Amino acid sequence: MTSHLIEDRLSAELAAQLKELATTGLTRRRRVLESPCGRLATVDGKNVLNFAANDYLGLAGNAEIARALADGALQWGAGAGASHLVSGHLAPHEALEKEISAFTGFPRALTFSTGYLANLAVTPTLAGRGDAVFADKLNHASLIDAMQLAKANGADVQRYPHNDVAALEKMLAASTAARKVIVTDAVFSMDGDLAPLPLIFALAERYDAWLVIDDAHGFGVLGPYGQGSLGHFNLPASPRVLLMGTLGKAAGVGGAFVAGSATAIEYLLQKGRAYIFTTAQPPAIACALLKSLHLIKNGDTLRAKLMARIGQLRDGLAGLQLKLLPSLTAIQPLVVGENDPAVALSKALWERGLWVPAIRPPTVPKGTARLRISVSAAHTEADITQLITALKELS
Ligand SMILES: *Cc1c(COP(=O)(O)O)cnc(C)c1O
């Protein structure tokens, strides 16, 4: 068979599956931004207010961070050249680890080029044959993939209903696993609600379990100095906690960290395949992140502004038929219900210059299609007013 015939046959099979996506209205499209990430996005020459990004503190477009990135690249070059354990662990990476450990209060930290990778490095490394993983049903996709890997490694994997501490306790009480690992988002990415971390932490203590916390949406935003969800709940940097935080959301750059006890972090460094077998992020990114961490730590003004905008939005939409989910965080989901009206509302907002993505199943449960409004400290009071006015007129 000639190569183009083979390709035709292989491609036809994929094309059939793509067509299936299209007929169920689930084909996804990317929009090309002609502007940097910020409160405004230019798409096809049209300016829209951006309520889609996770840039909660408005740091993605921060000039000081961009300068640190550029200076870092001039000093340290473009790439790390190898994985951390071979020759890719440069001084800026080491400095960033130290800074993250000091900032989060954990004895040690590792950095990763994405949060997805960081999550893959934790749970499957900690839990294998004879061990058990207990995971919230609404955990982020990357935690679910991590859980699948743990399962492939022989771990018993159980999922408890969202934030259902009683169900979690039952599972823990019934488990005879050697090592127990509880895994939860701190702030749930499609609902904006918080996990009841103090209760979950108490269960981890009672049943002597590890607690893996994904703070992708709390880091930089919640707690004193933007330390994150543990700070928000005044929980200690306990040796049974492994804290993951992403650095591409509030931190505005990219990458992630895992912080924990010196032994737990050493264990991940020695055994975490998703840490070992990948090239270290470019050192200039670490330089940018050092600047970003400094701005987060000194970012009370930004956080106050963000909280004011969140409050303004919630007050402004209080009388609306459609309801915002109860969320204290920058993620403010407006539940519409069925898919088509959610998509239609998102489209009508877009036509008015407001970019608010519609989120549909399977990302969220059936019948709970929603607009996911991401609020940022970069938004002005007038931006939020514009969104409130449009939603009142359209819904
Ligand atoms: C975004 C996100 C991740 C993945 O982080 P990336 O750095 O984007 O790969 C992991 N967990 C949660 C809860 C997230 O929202």
Side-chain angles (χ1 to χ4, degrees):
M1 219 189 277
T2 64
S3 69
H4 75 265
L5 277 179
I6 296 172
E7 193 194 318
D8 282 354
R9 188 172 49 78
L10 294 174
S11 299
E13 199 188 29
L14 298 184
Q17 289 186 28
L18 287 173
K19 204 165 162 193
E20 208 172 291
L21 272 186
T23 51
T24 46
L26 291 176
T27 303
R28 308 187 63 163
R29 303 246 173 264
R30 299 173 302 173
R31 286 193 164 116
V32 180
L33 277 77
E34 293 140 14
S35 57
C37 175
R39 56 178 277 274
L40 280 177
T42 312
V43 180
D44 293 331
K46 174 186 163 94
N47 280 332
V48 290
L49 278 172
N50 188 353
F51 292 99
N54 303 313
D55 180 26
Y56 305 131
L57 297 179
L59 294 181
N62 182 280
E64 283 181 76
I65 298 176
R67 169 71 55 201
L69 181 70
D71 289 348
L74 290 174
Q75 186 177 353
W76 295 97
S83 64
H84 285 277
L85 288 173
V86 175
S87 67
H89 191 64
L90 279 62
H93 297 122
E94 180 70 14
L96 179 61
E97 279 184 4
K98 295 242 153 57
E99 199 55 41
I100 286 169
S101 127
F103 183 48
T104 57
F106 284 90
R108 216 178 150 191
L110 290 181
T111 61
F112 294 81
S113 38
T114 71
Y116 189 102
L117 210 50
N119 277 338
L120 291 191
V122 178
T123 303
T125 308
L126 218 49
R129 192 164 306 284
D131 304 325
V133 177
F134 307 91
D136 190 290
K137 275 207 170 140
L138 293 191
N139 276 351
H140 188 261
S142 57
L143 287 176
I144 293 174
D145 290 1
M147 192 179 84
Q148 295 300 342
L149 272 178
K151 199 168 172 176
N153 292 346
D156 170 35
V157 168
Q158 304 185 40
R159 299 177 76 183
Y160 56 89
H162 179 50
N163 280 348
D164 189 338
V165 181
L168 171 59
E169 173 151 30
K170 262 195 201 135
M171 290 176 180
L172 286 165
S175 172
T176 55
R179 201 183 279 163
K180 304 183 182 81
V181 184
I182 305 169
V183 183
T184 186
D185 278 22
V187 175
F188 288 86
S189 49
M190 294 302 143
D191 293 57
D193 61 333
L194 293 167
L197 289 181
L199 298 175
I200 296 177
F201 181 72
L203 287 183
E205 289 201 305
R206 191 169 317 145
Y207 294 94
D208 199 22
W210 289 88
L211 175 54
V212 176
I213 297 173
D214 177 337
D215 204 17
H217 302 281
F219 184 76
V221 172
L222 299 175
Y225 308 102
Q227 226 179 30
S229 299
L230 288 176
H232 172 82
F233 285 116
N234 203 14
L235 285 168
S238 156
R240 66 174 68 257
V241 170
L242 280 163
L243 174 70
M244 191 286 268
T246 58
L247 301 168
K249 287 166 182 160
V253 183
F257 67 84
V258 177
S261 74
T263 310
I265 295 300
E266 181 65 18
Y267 187 81
L268 296 184
L269 185 154
Q270 297 299 334
K271 291 179 172 272
R273 297 174 63 84
Y275 183 73
I276 297 168
F277 296 108
T278 187
T279 301
Q281 67 181 177
I285 301 280
C287 298
L289 283 167
L290 284 165
K291 175 60 76 180
S292 168
L293 279 182
H294 176 79
L295 295 176
I296 287 176
K297 243 187 293 185
N298 296 285
D300 282 351
T301 311
L302 287 176
R303 279 182 289 278
K305 202 172 156 200
L306 171 64
M307 291 307 157
R309 300 289 176 263
I310 294 168
Q312 186 196 348
L313 180 75
R314 294 195 68 87
D315 289 348
L317 296 182
L320 212 65
Q321 189 104 43
L322 300 177
K323 291 292 170 227
L324 282 175
L325 291 177
S327 158
L328 312 167
T329 67
I331 302 166
Q332 293 292 324
L334 190 69
V335 175
V336 178
E338 291 314 309
N339 297 352
D340 290 347
V343 172
L345 184 53
S346 172
K347 190 159 175 277
L349 288 169
W350 177 265
E351 276 151 18
R352 292 186 178 212
L354 297 157
W355 187 357
V356 187
I359 311 284
R360 291 168 291 175
T363 310
V364 293
K366 241 185 161 149
T368 71
R370 65 198 65 184
L371 297 185
R372 183 179 183 273
I373 305 169
S374 287
V375 185
S376 168
H379 291 132
T380 65
E381 203 175 324
D383 294 343
I384 303 289
T385 303
Q386 198 180 325
L387 177 60
I388 294 168
T389 307
L391 279 169
K392 280 186 171 159
E393 286 172 17
L394 290 169
S395 66

